[in-house]
């Protein structure tokens, strides 16, 4: 078995023996296939079935790591290269700009340039901009970037007071209503049917929703969801425009079909008309966005709507080792509900790897430090930092891992941060390379550059690149990593295209920027489980896998719990070879060790038993315990030297109110709403009993901070700003009882 991060030993050139590595990998600059038949080379039988099924409705049920993007891009390319599909008549839609960019890049590499690959919103916006003058007249109204201020204005107009948390929650309800095609008058009934826990009275939300729509109309603006709604409206009302769109696009491919909302499904139906040239791809077991209105029902009901559809199941997993796949399959084997009934049993095509490691720590700082040390050791053995990821349930968990990695000198990058080609240093580097390509003969920097890589190194040295990376982490290291990614890209480009010039590289960078096909940046990835969807690494650390975080505390219903299980499944299946699963027994050093591992690990980790009485399968991995007695001292040193930073977005905090919550006011809260209400009720009783204003007991912000932290003992409660020694002695017993779910309405000690 080769070391982690190294390619396996060569194997026979057949798909049965694992040579179909491009299910999730591909060479950086592959040769364009010279014929339609060459497009099919290397596909396994099921992928080939997808690629050659070019007529009628097709449903591809594709498990994690089974090469779904490979299958559908080869399907489009084969159809184009065989002359069956005209590139301009194909529209491939997905859900993120990154996925659309990757699809465009792969199609270009397969010789199928000209095919439109877009997100639903991007495709709809182009159509709306083009047809608006004809359908409505004038120019398209301005699209507002953020609707929260307009909703705040609507609340003021309705004389409804909303705090920041309620404002965000109402915004989410309005967005959900729009993507589920729910009008204000129907909100209350629709929310009740969907089992949504409304942040305010349903009638108030309906009123706010209606007023928000009126304000937009008065101000001649539209929002993100309106782009789809208005496109649907025009296509429904104007048959001539609908036919014009259908004449343009005659073949449709929809990726991640389990994530479509009712509004997106309606738009797709209008694009199709009475035709059936549709290929959908998805996996119900990866449905993790139902809170936004996404539903797997359209995927699961596809055969009902299209009785003659071709259905292909992809279950050969080319991404993960048999050990990782076994854990993923075991997790889903305990799932319940409709999505679970259609789960796919993955079959790994890779060579055996190490067993997943399960690690328990005394507290969260010890867990972060344990992960950082293991990552440092892996990098020392030759594993690229870019092939390692730390995945967590909420963004608020990021900061402690950022600090732990910085402490051991490991570079990292935050997933969801600024896009690569939008980074200032990358844009400046592009300008410098473009200038050198035009006037390089007169540039003394290039006098000693003998080939393309040395030319790029010479140019970028003027932008801050050096052969040796700067020490530590932070902004300087991040800029260097961006430039180093361009240097590495130039080396790969020159190796695969001998004789390539600086102008050729600039053209390649332009194409990649248009497709958002970024090169690899060296650094450990920190990402939430939701933002990790669609990505993969050699080594994955799943952290914080404890009750209350996985499943998250506010997941109450069976459906919500099962979605949390699917979210963990997505995390597990991001790992190719090494998987580390960890949890902490308490939040802070010295805290009460009252936490337990996630229920989802029951029967899967050694020594545990599943709810059904099954025990973990033999060889399911070993326990590594990472107890650290030095953690409290480490934490105190860290606190003294690090400015207060938002635990969600990482911004430095200066406002006292934000510092109390340890997050920006505009960043999402992970507050336990039920706990917050119980604390407010208890506070009202205490204030009445003592004859003083409620804020003299605890301010609203302190209650929010308590409801977000959910302290388990006096030490954790005392660390919350606004809880001093006097209030801890006076109210601590009650507050901790309420946080633990018990009645905290006892007599106060001064009463």
């Amino acid at each position: 078995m080769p070391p982690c991060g190294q390619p396996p030993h060569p194997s026979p050139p057949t798909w049965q023996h694992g040579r179909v590595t491009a299910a999730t990998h591909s060479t950086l600059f592959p040769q364009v296939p010279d014929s339609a038949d060459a497009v099919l080379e290397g596909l396994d039988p099921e992928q080939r079935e997808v690629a050659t099924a070019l007529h009628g409705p097709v449903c591809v049920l594709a498990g994690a790591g089974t090469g779904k993007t490979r299958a559908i891009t080869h399907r489009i390319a084969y159809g184009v290269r065989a002359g069956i599909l005209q590139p301009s008549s194909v529209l491939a839609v997905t859900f993120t700009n990154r996925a659309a960019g990757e699809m465009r890049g792969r199609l270009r590499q397969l010789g199928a340039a000209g095919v439109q690959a877009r997100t639903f919103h991007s495709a709809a916006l182009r159509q709306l901009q083009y047809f608006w003058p004809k359908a409505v007249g004038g120019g398209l109204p301005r699209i507002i970037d953020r609707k929260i201020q307009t909703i705040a204005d609507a609340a003021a107009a309705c004389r409804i007071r909303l705090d920041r948390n309620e404002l965000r929650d109402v915004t989410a309800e309005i967005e959900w209503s729009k993507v589920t095609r729910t009008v204000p008058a129907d909100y209350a009934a629709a929310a009740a049917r969907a089992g949504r826990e409304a942040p305010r009275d349903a009638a108030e939300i309906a009123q706010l929703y209606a007023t928000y729509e009126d304000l937009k109309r008065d101000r001649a603006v539209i929002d993100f969801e309106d782009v789809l709604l208005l496109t649907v409206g025009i296509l429904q009302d104007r048959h001539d425009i609908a036919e014009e769109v259908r004449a343009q696009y005659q073949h449709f491919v929809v990726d991640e079909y389990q994530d479509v909302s009712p509004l997106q499904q309606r738009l797709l139906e209008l694009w199709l008309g009475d035709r059936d040239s549709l290929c959908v791809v998805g996996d119900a077991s990866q449905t993790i966005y139902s809170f936004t209105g996404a539903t797997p029902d359209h995927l699961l009901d596809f055969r009902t709507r299209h009785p003659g559809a071709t259905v292909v199941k992809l279950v050969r997993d080319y991404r993960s080792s048999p050990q990782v796949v076994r854990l993923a399959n075991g997790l889903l084997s305990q799932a319940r509900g409709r999505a679970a009934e259609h789960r796919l049993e993955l079959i790994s095509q890779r060579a055996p790897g190490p067993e997943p490691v399960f690690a328990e720590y005394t507290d969260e700082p010890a867990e972060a430090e344990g992960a950082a040390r293991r990552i440092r050791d892996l990098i020392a053995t030759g594993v690229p930092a870019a092939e390692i990821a730390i995945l967590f349930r909420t963004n608020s968990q990021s900061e402690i891992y950022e600090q732990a990695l910085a402490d051991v000198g490991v570079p990292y990058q935050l997933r969801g941060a600024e896009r690569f080609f939008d980074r200032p240093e990358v844009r400046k580097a592009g300008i410098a390379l473009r200038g050198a390509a035009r006037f390089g003969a007169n540039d003394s920097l290039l006098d000693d550059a003998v080939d393309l890589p040395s030319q790029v190194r010479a140019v970028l040295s003027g932008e801050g690149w050096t052969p040796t990376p700067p020490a530590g982490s932070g902004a300087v290291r991040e800029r260097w990593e961006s430039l180093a990614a361009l240097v590495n890209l130039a080396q790969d480009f020159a190796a695969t295209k001998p004789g390539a010039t600086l102008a050729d590289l600039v053209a390649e960078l332009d194409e990649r920027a248009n497709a958002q096909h970024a090169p690899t940046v060296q650094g450990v990835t920190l990402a939430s489980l939701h933002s990790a969807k669609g990505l993969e690494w050699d080594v994955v650390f799943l952290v914080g896998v404890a009750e209350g975080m996985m499943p998250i505390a506010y997941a109450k219903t069976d459906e919500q719990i099962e979605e949390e299980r699917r979210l963990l499944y997505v995390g597990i299946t991001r790992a190719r070879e090494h998987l580390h699963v960890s949890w902490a027994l308490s939040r802070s050093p010295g805290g009460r060790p009252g936490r337990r591992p996630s229920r989802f690990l029951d029967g899967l980790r050694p020594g545990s038993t599943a709810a059904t009485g099954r025990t973990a399968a033999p060889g399911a991995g070993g326990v590594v315990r990472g107890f650290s007695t030095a953690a409290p001292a480490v934490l105190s040193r860290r606190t003294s030297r690090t400015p207060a930073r938002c635990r969600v977005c990482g911004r430095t905090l200066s406002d006292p109110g934000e510092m109390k919550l340890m997050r920006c006011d505009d960043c999402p809260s992970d507050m336990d709403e039920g706990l917050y209400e119980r604390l407010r009720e208890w506070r009202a009783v205490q204030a009445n009993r003592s004859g003083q204003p409620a804020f003299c007991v605890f301010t609203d912000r302190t209650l929010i901070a308590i409801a977000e932290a959910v302290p388990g003992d006096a030490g954790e409660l005392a660390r919350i700003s606004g809880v001093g020694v006097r209030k801890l002695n006076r109210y601590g017993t009650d507050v901790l009882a309420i946080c633990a779910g018990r009645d905290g309405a006892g007599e106060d000690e001064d009463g």
Side-chain angles (χ1 to χ4, degrees):
M1 189 66 197
C4 177
Q6 303 302 313
H9 296 300
S11 54
T14 59
W15 61 264
Q16 295 98 327
H17 291 87
R19 285 302 294 273
V20 193
T21 56
T24 53
H25 289 83
S26 62
T27 55
L28 193 58
F29 300 100
Q31 297 298 314
V32 175
D34 58 11
S35 67
D37 288 341
V39 172
L40 303 178
E41 292 178 2
L43 298 180
D44 69 29
E46 293 80 23
Q47 292 171 345
R48 182 180 287 256
E49 186 69 33
V50 174
T52 55
L54 295 172
H55 301 286
V58 177
C59 179
V60 183
L61 301 176
T66 57
K68 67 179 180 64
T69 304
R70 173 179 171 83
I72 59 175
T73 51
H74 280 68
R75 178 184 189 272
I76 296 170
Y78 177 71
V80 169
R81 301 292 296 277
I84 299 171
L85 305 177
Q86 292 299 315
S88 60
S89 72
V90 180
L91 177 60
V93 287
T94 186
F95 286 83
T96 66
N97 289 320
R98 182 196 60 78
E102 179 186 358
M103 195 177 291
R104 288 193 294 271
R106 292 199 190 194
L107 289 169
R108 178 165 57 91
Q109 292 168 355
L110 291 169
V115 172
Q116 292 292 307
R118 298 187 172 276
T119 65
F120 272 100
H121 280 86
S122 173
L125 180 59
R126 282 172 63 92
Q127 294 174 21
L128 194 61
Q129 290 170 328
Y130 182 80
F131 290 112
W132 186 268
K134 179 178 180 180
V136 182
L140 182 68
R142 180 175 62 88
I143 302 174
I144 55 177
D145 293 330
R146 299 176 71 241
K147 58 175 69 68
I148 198 164
Q149 183 56 55
T150 308
I151 293 175
D153 294 342
C158 296
R159 298 189 177 184
I160 296 174
R161 295 188 62 182
L162 298 177
D163 62 28
R164 287 183 179 272
N165 291 322
E166 290 175 320
L167 195 55
R168 281 191 291 267
D169 290 342
V170 169
T171 300
E173 288 303 295
I174 290 175
E175 291 174 348
W176 172 83
S177 299
K178 298 184 79 165
V179 301
T180 56
R181 307 179 71 201
T182 302
V183 298
D186 296 338
Y187 168 77
R193 282 196 304 271
R196 294 183 74 83
E197 295 183 9
R200 301 280 297 217
D201 180 77
E204 284 187 334
I205 294 179
Q207 182 186 7
L208 288 166
Y209 180 10
T211 306
Y212 167 71
E213 293 298 316
D214 290 340
L215 282 177
K216 285 198 291 107
R217 193 176 304 110
D218 294 342
R219 297 172 181 180
V221 296
I222 60 177
D223 63 24
F224 196 58
E225 291 75 31
D226 288 332
V227 171
L228 299 185
L229 282 164
L230 291 169
T231 306
V232 165
I234 289 174
L235 295 179
Q236 285 181 159
D237 296 342
R238 291 290 299 268
H239 297 292
D240 56 329
I241 293 177
E243 288 306 316
E244 192 172 341
V245 172
R246 292 166 192 159
Q248 171 68 50
Y249 296 119
Q250 299 165 24
H251 309 280
F252 295 87
V253 176
V254 184
D255 194 12
E256 304 287 4
Y257 193 55
Q258 78 278 353
D259 289 333
V260 295
S261 68
L263 179 56
Q264 290 164 331
Q265 175 64 22
R266 180 56 184 154
L267 178 59
L268 179 61
E269 291 167 354
L270 289 166
W271 283 340
L272 272 170
D274 58 1
R275 298 165 302 176
D276 63 359
S277 186
L278 170 66
C279 175
V280 301
V281 189
D283 178 10
S285 295
Q286 296 189 69
T287 305
I288 58 174
Y289 299 108
S290 65
F291 60 91
T292 66
T295 171
D297 289 345
H298 304 300
L299 174 67
L300 299 178
D301 293 338
F302 193 82
R303 283 290 296 272
T304 303
R305 296 196 313 276
H306 303 279
T310 299
V311 178
V312 183
K313 294 183 179 181
L314 303 183
V315 296
R316 303 177 196 267
D317 187 315
Y318 297 95
R319 175 189 299 157
S320 302
S321 69
Q323 288 75 12
V324 173
V325 166
R326 185 186 308 128
L327 181 62
N329 286 338
L331 178 68
L332 286 190
S333 71
Q334 301 177 14
R336 301 292 181 267
R338 192 176 183 215
E341 294 170 0
H342 295 80
R343 70 183 181 90
L344 300 168
E345 187 85 12
L346 300 178
I347 304 171
S348 176
Q349 305 297 297
R350 289 177 59 110
E355 294 288 348
V357 173
F358 298 88
E360 182 176 280
Y361 295 87
T362 52
D363 51 64
E364 290 181 2
E367 184 180 10
E369 291 154 13
R373 287 194 300 270
R374 288 179 177 277
I375 290 170
R376 178 194 59 196
D377 294 343
L378 284 167
I379 293 174
T381 65
V383 181
E387 289 298 345
I388 303 173
I390 298 176
L391 306 182
F392 32 74
R393 176 61 180 84
T394 67
N395 288 325
S396 63
Q397 296 167 271
S398 171
E399 191 275 336
I400 194 170
Y401 288 92
E402 293 177 53
Q403 187 64 60
L405 291 172
D407 285 346
V408 296
V410 171
Y412 62 85
Q413 55 179 330
L414 291 172
R415 177 71 188 161
E418 192 173 29
R419 294 191 298 188
F420 181 82
F421 287 104
D422 291 339
R423 297 176 186 176
E425 65 271 18
V426 174
R427 298 179 71 169
K428 285 184 62 180
I431 293 171
L433 290 170
R434 187 171 286 104
R438 289 179 180 174
F439 311 112
N442 301 319
D443 193 337
S444 59
L445 268 177
L446 303 182
D447 287 348
D448 297 325
V450 296
D451 55 15
L452 177 60
S454 59
Q455 289 176 335
V456 171
R457 288 193 293 269
V459 173
L460 295 188
S461 65
E463 301 299 321
W465 177 83
T466 57
T468 304
S473 60
V476 173
R477 179 61 182 254
E478 289 173 4
R479 286 194 293 271
W480 184 89
E481 294 288 356
S482 296
L483 298 177
L486 294 175
V487 170
N488 294 334
L489 181 69
Q491 293 171 340
D492 291 330
F493 188 67
T496 54
K497 295 184 180 296
T501 65
L502 200 53
D504 294 331
L505 177 65
V506 169
E508 174 66 24
L509 290 175
D510 287 341
E511 288 193 27
R512 282 173 166 260
N514 290 333
Q516 283 302 324
H517 182 192
T520 300
V521 177
Q522 287 300 324
V524 173
T525 299
L526 295 172
S528 70
L529 287 165
H530 280 102
S531 66
K533 179 87 160 40
L535 304 175
E536 59 187 79
W537 296 269
D538 282 345
V539 185
V540 168
F541 287 76
L542 290 177
V543 299
V545 189
E547 284 292 305
M549 192 60 72
M550 179 60 66
I552 199 76
Y554 54 75
K556 304 296 185 184
T557 67
D558 290 344
E559 292 80 6
Q560 291 168 340
I561 296 295
E562 287 306 317
E563 182 147 335
E564 292 288 300
R565 187 192 306 275
R566 294 194 294 270
L567 190 56
L568 181 58
Y569 173 78
V570 167
I572 290 171
T573 55
R574 300 310 94 194
R576 297 192 191 111
E577 188 168 5
H578 289 261
L579 178 64
H580 297 250
V581 183
S582 64
W583 59 91
L585 297 177
S586 68
R587 183 187 300 272
S588 305
R592 179 173 58 86
R595 294 179 176 177
R596 63 174 296 269
S598 169
R599 72 190 75 171
F600 298 147
L601 300 180
D602 290 348
L604 302 177
R605 61 184 178 87
S608 66
T609 303
T612 58
R614 293 185 296 107
T615 57
V623 175
V624 176
R625 302 192 182 276
F627 298 106
S628 171
T629 57
V634 172
L635 184 65
S636 64
R637 289 199 306 272
R638 181 178 303 149
T639 303
S640 65
R641 71 166 183 262
T642 305
R645 297 176 61 193
C646 173
R647 55 190 170 83
V648 180
C649 71
R651 183 176 70 83
T652 300
L653 302 176
S654 57
D655 178 78
E658 292 182 340
M659 293 172 70
K660 181 188 288 280
L661 298 178
M662 290 306 293
R663 62 172 173 80
C664 307
D665 278 335
D666 290 334
C667 285
S669 168
D670 55 359
M671 181 177 70
D672 184 328
E673 299 279 359
L675 174 58
Y676 177 66
E677 290 304 320
R678 293 194 298 276
L679 288 168
R680 282 171 58 91
E681 293 169 2
W682 166 85
R683 182 181 66 175
V685 172
Q686 296 297 322
N688 182 62
R689 190 177 285 164
S690 61
Q692 57 185 348
F695 69 82
C696 291
V697 180
F698 286 120
T699 65
D700 283 347
R701 278 190 179 271
T702 299
L703 291 188
I704 291 171
I706 293 171
E708 289 183 346
V710 193
D713 56 35
E716 293 181 7
L717 179 58
R719 292 185 184 93
I720 295 173
S721 178
V723 182
V725 174
R726 184 180 63 83
K727 291 188 178 182
L728 180 66
N729 292 334
R730 186 171 187 176
Y731 302 122
T733 301
D734 278 4
V735 171
L736 291 172
I738 294 169
C739 290
R742 301 189 299 274
D743 184 7
E747 295 291 333
D748 73 73
E749 294 180 9
D750 290 349

